[in-house]
Amino acid sequence: VQVCGHFYVAYIPFAICVLLSGSPIPRVLRFFFRWQGLLLVPLAFGAVGFLTSFGLVMAAMLLACLAYGGFALVASCCRDTPGAPILLVGFGVTMGLKVMAFLVDYGLVADSVAFFTLRKSRFLNVFVLLAVMVFLNRRFAANFRRTEDQSAVLDSMVAERTAELQRQQQLRLGMMANIFHDLRTPLFAIRSCVDNMGAGMAGSADAALLKDRVSLLSRLIEDLFTAAKLE
């Protein structure tokens, strides 16, 4: 379990950085970055290292992760992927410290109190974890800013549309008021003619009916004109 744990701790940060970088993964290597690969690959390396040589297998894995991860992150930086330099720095520092820890464990590099404390406190992954945290925060912050910008654009469009609808409503009401106002002038002339006709046709049912209809029409126009002004 301890041997496999070392391989998981070395492999998972590498896989996370490659996946977050958005670098295209060749078809033959895609299994290594799926959840099945994240579960089984370190387990297989751990079993091989336990049965053969832990140091040799760990060295091979660290070199492979460092080479492919560094290539993928550098390629993402060349494509100007947002946040890729942050991942590259965190990944490079963490993997470099792990390689140095491996060399110290096998007596190839002199140890120091500070590095010994860092190794034994299991803080070698802190740098890549901080880089991942900053990367994710920047990505979510960018999404929030994009959402806020879209909301502002939508609010502006709604405000412009509302103002346009209000302007059209005012134009319509003004046009209706003008129409009702202009109808009163010819109707006044018609009413004068009807009154003159009624004087010469006293007692005529047609004159009374015509006068009643003209009066009704006058009241309707006055009501509509008043309603248009009130609106």
Side-chain angles (χ1 to χ4, degrees):
V1 171
Q2 185 178 4
V3 169
C4 291
H6 284 291
F7 283 95
Y8 276 107
V9 171
Y11 187 78
I12 297 299
F14 151 76
I16 290 176
C17 289
V18 173
L19 290 173
L20 289 179
S21 69
S23 179
I25 302 173
R27 184 182 298 272
V28 296
L29 299 179
R30 289 178 183 175
F31 172 79
F32 292 90
F33 298 94
R34 295 173 182 166
W35 68 268
Q36 298 93 334
L38 297 178
L39 180 65
L40 297 177
V41 170
L43 184 63
F45 272 103
V48 174
F50 181 77
L51 296 175
T52 57
S53 172
F54 171 79
L56 181 61
V57 176
M58 176 59 76
M61 181 178 178
L62 287 176
L63 290 177
C65 292
L66 183 60
Y68 185 79
F71 171 79
L73 292 173
V74 169
S76 297
C77 293
C78 294
R79 293 195 306 272
D80 293 330
T81 302
I86 299 174
L87 290 177
L88 179 61
V89 171
F91 175 78
V93 172
T94 294
M95 296 303 291
L97 290 176
K98 287 185 177 182
V99 171
M100 184 177 294
F102 175 81
L103 296 177
V104 168
D105 288 338
Y106 284 87
L108 301 177
V109 176
D111 199 1
S112 65
V113 176
F115 191 66
F116 175 82
T117 305
L118 187 66
R119 285 190 299 120
K120 295 306 179 181
S121 58
R122 305 301 182 188
F123 279 142
L124 295 182
N125 281 327
V126 167
F127 301 98
V128 71
L129 292 177
L130 289 175
V132 169
M133 181 183 67
V134 174
F135 177 84
L136 293 177
N137 286 336
R138 284 170 56 89
R139 174 174 291 184
F140 282 113
N143 290 337
F144 285 134
R145 284 194 298 268
R146 191 178 304 112
T147 302
E148 291 176 354
D149 294 340
Q150 292 174 352
S151 298
V153 172
L154 182 60
D155 291 341
S156 176
M157 294 173 60
V158 171
E160 292 177 359
R161 182 60 178 165
T162 302
E164 179 64 20
L165 290 176
Q166 291 176 349
R167 189 183 68 85
Q168 294 179 2
Q169 180 74 1
Q170 292 176 355
L171 291 176
R172 184 182 66 84
L173 294 175
M175 182 186 67
M176 297 300 294
N178 292 332
I179 291 175
F180 296 142
H181 177 73
D182 293 339
L183 284 176
R184 294 192 300 177
T185 301
L187 190 61
F188 179 76
I190 294 173
R191 181 187 297 172
S192 298
C193 294
V194 170
D195 290 340
N196 292 332
M197 290 173 58
M201 301 170 58
S204 173
D206 293 337
L209 180 61
L210 183 59
K211 185 176 182 179
D212 180 66
R213 296 306 179 189
V214 170
S215 298
L216 175 62
L217 185 59
S218 298
R219 290 196 302 271
L220 288 176
I221 290 178
E222 290 295 334
D223 292 341
L224 292 173
F225 180 65
T226 302
K229 289 197 298 182
L230 290 175
E231 290 186 14

